[in-house]
Amino acid sequence: MTIEELGDKLFATVPEVGRILRADERTIRKAIGEGQIPATKVGAIHRVPVAWLRGQALLNAPEIEVEVISSAA
């Protein structure tokens, strides 16, 4: 699963977060319990903000070197 597959959802479930981060659901739940992953509990289900997941994806993205070419006329 990728972040793009979440579409316009505001929150992701623990299984979805586990698939995106490639981590076991128990690891995700432990990280939520320790405050490492923000989550809202709805009944017995934790929901993780998709915005946080998108931010993590940007933080872990490899840096790309960009060469700027200017045209001097």
Side-chain angles (χ1 to χ4, degrees):
M1 172 171 254
T2 63
I3 293 175
E4 288 78 26
E5 291 179 63
L6 293 174
D8 59 352
K9 289 173 67 173
L10 297 177
F11 293 93
T13 63
V14 169
E16 290 170 333
V17 174
R19 287 192 298 272
I20 290 169
L21 298 180
R22 295 186 179 141
D24 188 77
E25 290 180 32
R26 292 172 291 193
T27 303
I28 301 300
R29 285 190 180 89
K30 182 178 178 186
I32 289 170
E34 293 174 351
Q36 296 171 347
I37 297 177
T40 300
K41 194 168 185 181
V42 180
I45 300 173
H46 284 97
R47 301 286 180 163
V48 176
V50 172
W52 180 85
L53 285 170
R54 292 185 195 285
Q56 292 302 302
L58 291 175
L59 288 176
N60 296 324
E63 292 198 24
I64 299 172
E65 189 173 320
V66 178
E67 182 180 341
V68 178
I69 302 173
S70 63
S71 61

